[in-house]
């Protein structure tokens, strides 16, 4: 049996897979089992932010692998303590818990918020429409998109949803029972849309007034993806809790919850735990990822982003009938396509030409290339996009 036949026979059919078997990667490129090369504009959904097999990260992983992989959290581990220190230095005065994925980090953040809130009789949580927070029962309960929730009732209670940008609805929903609000400063799965500035300001104000926690899901917007190390740093909002995963391990599974010190210190011993969370390999890798994402690196990401943005704007002027809107936040990019042009068709056309792309929201093409992408590769992408749009325009007329 081929890999694809085997997978179809033995893997639970939860995924709609592209019929390509990826065998290896390097930088911005991956190769399939037949040696065909693809330009990766996905980074495995905003995970491999430093590119595939980044040499510094590979070196650290190999070194740690030859020392020790795992001991339980009943013992102290240097890579875990070192990584926590670095994360705090780069965020706010707080403390860290390590998990293994984004959903797990959000699930833990919700537990922390409820432990904190229930002591004061606050258990209600606000989340936003079009949000995405993961696929566990707790995190689909927090997710504001029906397609992820259908059929899983009963979900977690006391979660109220607000339309992003609707300040009136926010004010009406935010009563004295609210222990926390969950948000992504840029909703990525939801269509690559930033929250409006006035809405964010009102969240900050209400959180202070009602004594509720602001929990920012940085699973996708974090780790340099949007041009700063964390997305919230561009929005003038001060979180009480942030959650991380995706880019933190550059492909090695790790998640984290960062919690303001006063709240973190109030957490009782024994109320949360993880077997794999904070293991040697994951923490050593994540530290090397964070060290690589320094100021110089992030400056370069911003330059690459503005180059990409200006080029895309020019392309849109050429195809205003097909490209409805373009949103660029660092190297998280959303391109709304006209209803006449299905995003699935465009993704397929890119694939045929050796480029991997993503979708988001309703009909949005999403790009999340490795942050190390060069102008040359961006040009290749743009030339291909132009050819596809020309062809599609011809077909549609
Ligand atoms: C991917 C994602 C998650 C879920 O992360 P997993 O590691 O798949 O559990 C949660 N929140 C956001 C914003 C994400 O993009």
């Amino acid at each position: 049996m081929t890999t694809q036949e085997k997978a179809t026979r033995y893997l639970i059919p939860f995924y709609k897979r592209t019929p390509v078997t990826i065998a290896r990667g390097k930088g911005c490129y991956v190769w399939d089992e037949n040696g065909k090369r693809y330009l990766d504009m996905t980074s495995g959904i905003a995970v491999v932010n430093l590119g595939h097999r980044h040499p510094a990260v590979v070196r650290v992983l190999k070194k740690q692998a030859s020392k020790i992989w795992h001991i339980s959290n009943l013992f102290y581990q240097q890579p875990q303590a070192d990584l926590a220190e670095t994360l705090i230095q780069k965020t706010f005065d707080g403390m860290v818990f390590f998990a293994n994925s984004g959903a797990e980090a959000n699930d833990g953040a919700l537990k922390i918020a409820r432990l904190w809130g229930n002591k004061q009789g606050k258990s209600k949580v606000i989340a936003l429409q079009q949000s995405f927070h993961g696929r566990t029962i707790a995190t689909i309960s927090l997710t504001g998109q029906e397609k992820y929730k259908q059929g899983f009732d009963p979900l977690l209670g006391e979660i109220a949803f607000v339309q992003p940008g609707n300040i009136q609805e926010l004010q009406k929903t935010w009563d004295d029972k609210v222990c926390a609000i969950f948000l992504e400063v840029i909703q990525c799965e939801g269509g690559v849309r930033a929250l409006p500035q006035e809405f964010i300001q009102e969240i900050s104000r209400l959180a202070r007034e009602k004594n509720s926690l602001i929990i920012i899901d940085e699973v996708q917007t974090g780790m340099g993806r949007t041009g700063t190390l964390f997305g919230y740093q561009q929005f003038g909002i001060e979180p009480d809790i942030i959650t991380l995963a995706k880019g933190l391990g550059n492909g090695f599974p790790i998640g984290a919850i960062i919690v303001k010190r006063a709240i973190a210190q109030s957490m009782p011993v024994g109320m949360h735990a993880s077997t794999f969370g904070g293991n040697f390999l994951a923490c050593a890798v994540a530290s090397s990822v964070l060290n690589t994402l320094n100021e110089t690196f992030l400056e370069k990401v911003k330059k690459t982003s503005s180059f990409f943005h200006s080029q895309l704007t020019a392309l849109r002027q050429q195809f205003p009938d097909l490209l409805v809107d373009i949103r660029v936040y660092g190297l998280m990019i959303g391109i709304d396509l006209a209803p006449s042009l299905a995003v699935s068709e465009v993704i397929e056309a890119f694939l045929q030409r050796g480029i991997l792309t993503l979708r988001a929201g309703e009909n949005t093409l999403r790009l999340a290339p490795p942050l190390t992408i060069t102008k040359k590769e961006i040009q290749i992408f743009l030339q291909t996009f132009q050819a596809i749009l020309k062809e599609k325009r011809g077909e549609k007329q």
Side-chain angles (χ1 to χ4, degrees), residues 101-104 106 132-135 184 189 217 219-220 245-246:
S101 69
E104 223 187 289
N106 285 331
F132 181 80
H133 296 297
R135 299 297 205 110
E184 303 148 89
E189 303 297 314
D217 180 341
V219 168
Q220 191 156 169
K246 289 205 165 85

